[in-house]
Amino acid sequence: DQQVKQNSPSLSVQEGRISILNCDYTNSMFDYFLWYKKYPAEGPTFLISISSIKDKNEDGRFTVFLNKSAKHLSLHIVPSQPGDSAVYFCAATSQGGSEKLVFGKGTKLTVNP
Amino acid sequence: DAGVTQSPTHLIKTRGQQVTLRCSPKSGHDTVSWYQQALGQGPQFIFQYYEEEERQRGNFPDRFSGHQFPNYSSELNVNALLLGDSALYLCASSFWAGSSYNEQFFGPGTRLTVL
């Protein structure tokens, strides 16, 4: 059973426009959510996170929105840049201290110049 | 300050063999987690080590085992390799914070191919 789902395997946007990546989860015990970015031949790098006590978190061009009732989160990138082209993973965990991350399958974002 | 390092970068084995992968955590980190990323999938949690003990384990068979050394580095061992074990193996380190979440930093991974 897939507890974290990213239903779009790929997304293509034009440079300067907004990129919206979506993620759904099923486990109500998850209370902390993260987005990681991964380039080929590199490990995932942390991008932004959000706690379940918030519904929005911003960091520069990146904003994550959390809708707990819908068990849905999204990552907005504005404006999108060609260097943002990568695979984006949504991950979730319970802040019980175990730090085990449950990942989605990822969405490959391509930003065209 | 070196980040998380893993060795080797690539590895080719045949079915039935055994393999050992190594990980050195980021300086100051005491917790190491291992993940398996199969092609087209997200990373899947294998297990986590803290204070030289396995603290939590994912849904992986006993063929997967690990170890953490006093210097916090870690090894992942896989016995009786199967074709399905072919994957990118990622190591992540963090500082144990008890009840709150601390960011995990990932290494570049070891690409294991089983023929």
Side-chain angles (χ1 to χ4, degrees):
Chain A
D1 63 331
Q2 206 176 343
Q3 299 183 68
V4 177
K5 300 178 183 179
Q6 294 177 257
N7 292 320
S8 297
S10 63
L11 175 67
S12 183
V13 300
Q14 286 299 119
E15 181 178 5
R17 307 294 289 269
I18 184 172
S19 294
I20 300 177
L21 294 90
N22 294 304
C23 177
D24 297 294
Y25 62 97
T26 57
N27 190 336
S28 299
M29 297 300 293
F30 290 148
D31 56 10
Y32 196 78
F33 304 90
L34 309 93
W35 285 93
Y36 278 82
K37 179 169 72 172
K38 187 179 186 300
Y39 294 116
E42 295 183 12
T45 55
F46 171 75
L47 196 56
I48 191 169
S49 63
I50 187 167
S51 168
S52 60
I53 63 173
K54 296 184 176 181
D55 54 18
K56 178 182 175 181
N57 189 27
E58 280 183 270
D59 184 2
R61 298 186 297 115
F62 303 90
T63 303
V64 56
F65 296 91
L66 176 63
N67 182 333
K68 289 186 292 293
S69 60
K71 292 189 175 67
H72 176 84
L73 63 156
S74 61
L75 173 68
H76 292 209
I77 306 174
V78 183
S80 301
Q81 300 173 354
D84 295 330
S85 297
V87 177
Y88 289 77
F89 290 100
C90 172
T93 188
S94 304
Q95 289 194 80
S98 71
E99 302 177 4
K100 165 189 172 181
L101 294 175
V102 179
F103 285 86
K105 290 186 176 182
T107 296
K108 183 176 182 180
L109 173 65
T110 302
V111 181
N112 301 303
Chain B
D1 175 27
V4 179
T5 60
Q6 292 186 244
S7 63
T9 305
H10 295 89
L11 204 51
I12 299 175
K13 292 285 187 178
T14 56
R15 282 179 296 173
Q17 285 189 311
Q18 178 265 345
V19 68
T20 297
L21 310 181
R22 295 176 175 82
C23 171
S24 291
K26 184 177 170 64
S27 178
H29 286 182
D30 56 8
T31 302
V32 173
S33 301
W34 287 92
Y35 293 81
Q36 179 197 65
Q37 185 181 7
L39 197 62
Q41 304 294 316
Q44 189 172 359
F45 178 77
I46 303 175
F47 42 52
Q48 182 184 80
Y49 278 84
Y50 171 68
E51 293 188 336
E52 301 180 51
E53 289 188 0
E54 183 182 290
R55 181 164 288 269
Q56 190 171 3
R57 189 178 184 91
N59 189 25
F60 278 80
D62 292 345
R63 298 187 297 108
F64 290 77
S65 63
H67 188 77
Q68 185 179 35
F69 299 94
N71 67 352
Y72 308 119
S73 67
S74 176
E75 288 182 350
L76 163 64
N77 300 293
V78 187
N79 294 322
L81 284 167
L82 303 174
L83 296 179
D85 295 331
S86 296
L88 179 68
Y89 288 85
L90 295 162
C91 170
S93 74
S94 59
F95 181 75
W96 186 263
S99 60
S100 63
Y101 179 83
N102 261 0
E103 180 185 340
Q104 294 186 39
F105 291 78
F106 283 82
T110 294
R111 172 71 62 186
L112 172 65
T113 302
V114 182
L115 301 176

